[in-house]
């Protein structure tokens, strides 16, 4: 059965929880549109996170990759449009690193666009009554770093040219702050977003290089 790789991040910045890790884990082993979800947690660490993601891509050869992370303070699902080639950390990562104005990939293109159908995902989420929007910035911390690293690997990696990939930021859980969404709404939304992606045939499957 074809695979979907779904990742979340470990808690960071002093939080005890990261909803992205919890939501991804809740979907491990589930099926969507004839594909099986393989979930994994990534460390919130520059370099290690995208290295681990690379290993998962080589191990599973997924048809689809959705990485997720927490964006505390945002409302609903943020469907990320673009990853930029910048690490500029507002806080230290979980290994104490805080890169400033560094490239994610030296010599790489300035940005990559998602290859997920974010408008179809948006419509599907809204049809379920879930709050969602397209976001034009995934920030410049570890989430953008992993998103850029994912798209770079899909654009350049062997055997990955047909794999679509992208990133969704999730809001806080109710116990973490407001605005928030309960975990079951996040889990439902990720399933809905993946289902909408598998139904969509309108987008090119190769990442655009936009430099
Ligand atoms: N959110 C952070 C990194 C890990 C996570 O879940 C970010 O938005 O960069």
């Amino acid at each position: 059965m074809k695979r979907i790789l779904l990742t979340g991040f470990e808690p960071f910045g002093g939080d005890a929880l990261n909803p992205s890790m919890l939501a991804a884990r809740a979907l491990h082993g589930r099926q969507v549109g004839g594909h099986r979800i393989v979930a994994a947690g990534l460390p919130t660490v520059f370099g290690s996170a995208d290295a681990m993601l690379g290993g998962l891509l080589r191990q599973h050869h997924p048809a689809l990759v959705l990485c997720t992370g927490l964006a505390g303070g945002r409302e609903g699902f943020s469907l990320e449009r673009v990853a930029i080639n910048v690490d500029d950390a507002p806080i230290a990562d979980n290994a104490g690193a805080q890169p400033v104005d560094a490239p994610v990939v030296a010599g790489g293109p300035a940005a990559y666009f998602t290859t997920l159908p974010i408008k179809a995902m948006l419509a599907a989420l809204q049809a379920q009554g879930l709050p969602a929007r397209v976001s034009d910035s995934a920030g410049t911390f570890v989430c953008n770093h992993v998103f850029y690293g994912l798209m770079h690997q899909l654009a350049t990696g062997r055997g990955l040219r047909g794999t679509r990939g992208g990133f969704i930021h999730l809001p806080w859980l109710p116990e973490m702050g407001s605005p928030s969404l309960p975990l079951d709404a996040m889990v439902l939304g990720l399933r809905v977003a993946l289902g909408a992606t598998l139904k969509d045939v309108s987008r090119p499957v190769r990442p655009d290089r936009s430099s």
Side-chain angles (χ1 to χ4, degrees):
M1 188 179 282
K2 288 185 181 175
R3 293 182 183 180
I4 296 169
L5 178 61
L6 176 65
T7 72
F9 278 101
E10 68 186 13
F12 67 100
D15 282 334
L17 299 172
N18 191 325
S20 66
M21 179 84 105
L22 301 175
R25 281 204 178 134
L27 286 165
H28 180 72
R30 301 277 286 274
Q31 289 182 32
V32 181
H35 292 57
R36 187 177 302 283
I37 296 173
V38 177
L42 301 178
T44 305
V45 176
F46 287 100
S48 310
D50 39 316
M52 183 182 285
L53 181 65
L56 291 164
L57 292 174
R58 287 189 291 278
Q59 183 184 348
H60 295 292
H61 286 283
L64 174 63
V65 185
L66 177 60
C67 297
T68 69
L70 167 66
R74 291 197 196 175
E75 202 176 332
F77 295 81
S78 294
L79 312 178
E80 300 295 347
R81 191 196 302 269
V82 60
I84 62 174
N85 194 11
V86 177
D87 288 336
D88 194 24
I91 57 171
D93 72 12
N94 286 0
Q98 193 167 359
V100 174
D101 295 343
V104 179
V105 176
Y112 286 103
F113 290 116
T114 185
T115 47
L116 300 185
I118 48 177
K119 294 295 172 63
M121 293 160 81
L122 180 66
L125 288 165
Q126 289 175 339
Q128 291 283 333
L130 294 165
R133 67 183 180 91
V134 169
S135 161
D136 295 320
S137 174
T140 52
F141 191 47
V142 182
C143 287
N144 172 75
H145 178 90
V146 159
F147 182 19
Y148 186 94
L150 166 67
M151 301 316 297
H152 189 71
Q153 292 185 66
L154 296 185
T156 60
R158 282 176 157 235
L160 294 169
R161 287 290 170 98
T163 300
R164 305 173 92 175
F167 199 98
I168 293 181
H169 265 118
L170 301 170
W172 279 315
L173 292 164
E175 57 267 48
M176 299 174 81
S178 179
S180 68
L181 274 181
L183 184 60
D184 57 356
M186 296 193 194
V187 172
L188 170 65
L190 293 181
R191 267 186 48 214
V192 164
L194 290 170
T197 298
L198 292 171
K199 275 191 202 138
D200 179 89
V201 290
S202 66
R203 289 286 183 111
V205 295
R206 285 184 60 173
D208 290 321
R209 294 181 69 115
S210 60
S211 64

